[in-house]
Amino acid sequence: MDSQTSQPSQASPPPRSFQVDLRGLVDLLSHHLYSSPKVYLRELLQNAVDAITARRAGEPDAPARVRLYAEDGTLRVEDSGIGLTEADVHSLLATIGRSSKRADGLESARSDFLGRFGIGLLACFLVAERIRVVSRSARTPGAPPVEWTASDDGSYRVRTLPEDARTEPGTTVYLEARPGAADWLAAERVLSLARDFGSLLPYDVRVGDEAVTDLPAPWDRPYPGPAARRVALARHCHDLFGFTPLDSIELDVPLAGIRGVAYVLPSAVSPAQRAGHRVHLKGMLLTERAEELLPDWAFFVRCVLDTDSLRPTASRESLYEDETLAGVREALGERIRSWLTELAAGDPERLGAFLAVHHLGVKSLARHDREMLRTMLPWLPFETTDGPLSLEEFARRHPVVHFTRTVEEFRQVAPIASAQGVGVVNGGYTYDSELVEALPSVRPGTVVAELDADTVTAHLDTVDPAVELALSGFLSAARAKLDPLGCDVVLRAFHPVSVPALHLDDRAARHEQARAEAEEQADDLWAGILGSLRGSAPRARLVLNHLNPLIRRIGSLDDRELIGTATESLYGQALLMAQRPLRPADSALLNRAFLGLLEWATHDDDPEEGHR
């Protein structure tokens, strides 16, 4: 052992470089980084535009041309950019991850470039099995043209060319389609992709003789007047997104280098639906699915814009989430908020048309923005016992703004409350109860109260004590029938007369009912625990309308069994009128009451039944 420990340590082996399987890397790019092979054309355009930008940094008057020629499964892309020397080719084209935008002399100007990651040219292997690049440097005028040829097996070769092979500075890229990918290099496909990606690029880009760029952008063009501008932008929206917008919102955030337009959707969409926005980065289309561009509440618009400040991810198909994007999101949200305020102040007709479709989005914003709630208060529609009204108008009509938290509760009490002069707002729809509760914060002095069964009952007229005493036998039988269901029976006089009975409960009563049902089904231990949770045992109520002729006739019955059947029928009918979901016990009661009434109505016609 001593001899082993005394042996001198072996020298550390020399470091080795990683080996790259290019075909495996291309497969990784195609399946996990890029969403579609179409990005190959964006990368070619991007490299050409960046090369021109680099050349113009030192030669402001240098030509700025990009030409694409597609024919028979091949594509040629020519640019008048800065070009490459043989050393540049070895250093940049043959080294994965190294970008010319990080080369010496260009780092300070990185913000002017579109690509930064050094993997763009690899995207061409998604559609081509061979790439050939011929380039001549503008920075080293005496350097000869150089050719770089690469195959998708990871091999490449470099050679210098005769002086006449390329006389002007710039670069030409040649692609040869891989089997099955020739359609991506077809002339019509190339033109379509080039226009989609490059319509806002600042240089002269053409596919053959067809122009690709279409400048200035629609939102930067001069128009004869506001109406002509709206029509032109609506046409642009239809061509781009496939719908004619309700309105257009100018997006101009100079500090973030953003210009564009937000188009208001003509139909309602779910707040949970993520919007896809088109974002151009320095003129190049970055993504058409930028979901994180706007605040969540602004789901009613679709944006198209150009920016020079936002950072792309490595795939350049989405935005990098950082402080800049958060600031842009806030600024764009503020612009949409200002548009709403301007409509409220100066164009109520257009605001009304917008709110008729997208009131949900504005309510979502108003929940957290008191100023927006104050601005929109006269305009936002709510369902009330007085019909569709704004909270402002409703509060002027009623000293107390009562509201329900569920649609079912509102449907229970709306007809009765309206007849008694009690104003109620349906707070069961998304965001509505929150906004009603926030009303006093923007309208001081407003009294807001949640409606409960006690409040409704208190507004119903009591029956003369002598009359109620005369009906005590009937009421006793009715209460005994509904007691197992956790429901009391009370007698009142109210309008409309056509309503025989009203079922009233609140959340406390429903909670107690659910607790009691759970206690019945639980074992001894849980039954004891649930029983200990019993409070004052709030109960639902079946309010019988003494003004209703049917209730008066039922009240004159002497047969306790028939009174019970009639009471169950009234209970079931009241539940159905309130559009409440029925429990199994309620469904069984309805079925039992219906059969009982049928039996009672027909038993005199059956001699055998009468004999018995």
Side-chain angles (χ1 to χ4, degrees):
M1 176 176 290
D2 293 339
S3 62
Q4 291 179 349
T5 57
S6 63
Q7 289 180 357
S9 60
Q10 296 182 352
S12 299
R16 298 177 180 270
S17 298
F18 283 102
Q19 301 298 309
V20 176
D21 180 351
L22 187 57
R23 284 178 175 165
L25 183 57
V26 170
D27 182 71
L28 182 67
L29 293 178
S30 63
H31 288 94
H32 300 285
L33 185 64
Y34 294 126
S35 62
S36 165
K38 70 180 182 180
V39 298
Y40 88 91
L41 193 67
R42 184 195 63 200
E43 300 297 341
L44 288 173
L45 287 176
Q46 187 165 278
N47 286 341
V49 169
D50 284 342
I52 294 172
T53 301
R55 184 176 179 185
R56 283 200 153 189
E59 301 178 54
D61 297 328
R65 298 186 306 270
V66 181
R67 297 291 184 265
L68 297 90
Y69 303 95
E71 185 178 5
D72 298 331
T74 64
L75 176 65
R76 183 171 88 254
V77 181
E78 301 176 352
D79 70 65
S80 58
I82 196 166
L84 301 170
T85 63
E86 182 175 357
D88 293 333
V89 167
H90 284 290
S91 175
L92 301 174
L93 297 187
T95 305
I96 295 170
R98 180 173 295 174
S99 171
S100 62
K101 291 74 176 178
R102 293 193 289 267
D104 293 342
L106 295 181
E107 180 65 29
S108 61
R110 280 184 66 187
S111 61
D112 295 331
F113 296 102
L114 297 170
R116 302 180 181 183
F117 298 97
I119 57 175
L121 198 59
L122 286 182
C124 294
F125 282 120
L126 300 177
V127 298
E129 60 181 0
R130 185 169 177 267
I131 302 173
R132 178 172 167 250
V133 178
V134 175
S135 187
R136 184 162 194 154
S137 174
R139 287 191 295 176
T140 311
V146 61
E147 177 189 71
W148 177 82
T149 305
S151 299
D152 62 358
D153 61 3
S155 63
Y156 75 93
R157 60 187 178 88
V158 178
R159 65 187 181 112
T160 57
L161 300 177
E163 287 289 331
D164 58 355
R166 184 179 180 104
T167 58
E168 295 294 326
T171 300
T172 303
V173 179
Y174 301 84
L175 301 185
E176 295 180 8
R178 64 170 57 254
D183 183 57
W184 289 105
L185 273 60
E188 290 186 3
R189 176 69 71 90
V190 169
L191 177 61
S192 175
L193 292 177
R195 283 178 172 166
D196 195 37
F197 285 120
S199 62
L200 301 184
L201 289 174
Y203 304 135
D204 178 18
V205 182
R206 296 176 181 270
V207 176
D209 296 327
E210 298 285 341
V212 168
T213 51
D214 186 20
L215 295 176
W219 49 85
D220 286 330
R221 295 172 189 169
Y223 296 98
R229 183 178 184 83
R230 275 198 299 270
V231 170
L233 290 179
R235 186 182 306 113
H236 174 249
C237 175
H238 189 273
D239 293 342
L240 200 62
F241 293 114
F243 65 85
T244 301
L246 279 178
D247 208 347
S248 303
I249 307 171
E250 300 283 340
L251 302 178
D252 187 2
V253 187
L255 291 178
I258 284 179
R259 286 283 297 147
V261 61
Y263 293 116
V264 181
L265 291 165
S267 56
V269 294
S270 167
Q273 180 177 330
R274 300 293 290 178
H277 308 289
R278 288 178 64 95
V279 176
H280 295 255
L281 180 61
K282 302 180 183 70
M284 180 73 75
L285 178 65
L286 180 70
T287 179
E288 52 192 354
R289 299 188 302 275
E291 298 178 349
E292 63 277 19
L293 186 66
L294 294 182
D296 290 341
W297 56 261
F299 55 83
F300 50 82
V301 298
R302 295 292 180 270
C303 294
V304 53
L305 56 83
D306 188 28
T307 177
D308 60 13
S309 64
L310 298 178
R311 290 174 56 196
T313 59
S315 67
R316 290 189 288 278
E317 294 188 286
S318 59
L319 299 172
Y320 188 82
E321 186 68 50
D322 58 9
E323 292 182 0
T324 302
L325 179 57
V328 166
R329 184 162 48 235
E330 182 178 349
L332 294 180
E334 181 59 37
R335 178 65 196 96
I336 297 173
R337 184 186 289 107
S338 299
W339 169 78
L340 286 169
T341 304
E342 292 163 8
L343 285 188
D347 200 338
E349 184 175 342
R350 284 168 66 198
L351 178 63
F354 166 76
L355 289 177
V357 179
H358 295 299
H359 59 273
L360 198 59
V362 180
K363 287 181 177 180
S364 174
L365 170 60
R367 286 184 307 154
H368 308 294
D369 189 324
R370 291 293 178 262
E371 189 58 38
M372 181 55 60
L373 177 58
R374 183 179 290 106
T375 301
M376 292 291 110
L377 204 56
W379 309 103
L380 287 173
F382 288 79
E383 183 180 359
T384 77
T385 48
D386 293 353
L389 285 179
S390 70
L391 288 181
E392 177 71 28
E393 175 64 23
F394 189 82
R396 283 201 296 265
R397 295 186 182 188
H398 299 278
V400 178
V401 178
H402 290 99
F403 73 97
T404 64
R405 291 194 182 275
T406 68
V407 175
E408 290 78 10
E409 290 174 0
F410 181 80
R411 288 170 178 165
Q412 274 184 293
V413 302
I416 310 303
S418 179
Q420 311 308 311
V422 179
V424 185
V425 177
N426 184 356
Y429 296 115
T430 307
Y431 310 133
D432 282 10
S433 62
E434 296 175 69
L435 294 176
V436 175
E437 289 181 298
L439 189 56
S441 68
V442 297
R443 197 178 188 276
T446 304
V447 179
V448 172
E450 183 175 354
L451 190 70
D452 56 24
D454 289 336
T455 303
V456 178
T457 306
H459 281 80
L460 304 181
D461 294 335
T462 58
V463 178
D464 184 273
V467 173
E468 189 163 358
L469 181 62
L471 294 173
S472 59
F474 161 74
L475 292 175
S476 174
R479 287 166 180 155
K481 196 67 175 178
L482 295 188
D483 183 69
L485 296 173
C487 183
D488 289 332
V489 177
V490 297
L491 187 66
R492 293 289 188 272
F494 56 87
H495 292 275
V497 175
S498 58
V499 177
L502 176 65
H503 181 270
L504 292 178
D505 67 357
D506 51 28
R507 284 179 297 159
R510 289 194 292 275
H511 176 75
E512 171 60 22
Q513 192 175 61
R515 188 208 58 78
E517 291 176 355
E519 183 179 354
E520 289 180 3
Q521 299 173 8
D523 57 28
D524 293 340
L525 173 61
W526 282 107
I529 294 174
L530 291 169
S532 68
L533 297 177
R534 183 187 299 112
S536 58
R539 291 162 66 87
R541 298 170 192 171
L542 181 67
V543 184
L544 303 180
N545 187 2
H546 186 59
L547 299 180
N548 181 268
L550 176 61
I551 295 299
R552 288 177 178 251
R553 288 197 296 272
I554 294 175
S556 64
L557 295 174
D558 295 325
D559 187 334
R560 288 183 66 89
E561 185 175 348
L562 183 55
I563 290 173
T565 300
T567 302
E568 288 182 330
S569 299
L570 290 169
Y571 174 83
Q573 188 263 354
L575 285 181
L576 294 175
M577 288 297 292
Q579 302 184 44
R580 291 289 304 276
L582 299 180
R583 300 168 299 163
D586 297 329
S587 299
L589 176 145
L590 277 172
N591 185 57
R592 182 172 64 249
F594 177 72
L595 293 177
L597 288 176
L598 281 180
E599 183 178 345
W600 175 80
T602 59
H603 75 282
D604 286 340
D605 297 332
D606 188 341
E608 293 296 327
E609 185 68 24
H611 178 71
R612 291 190 188 95

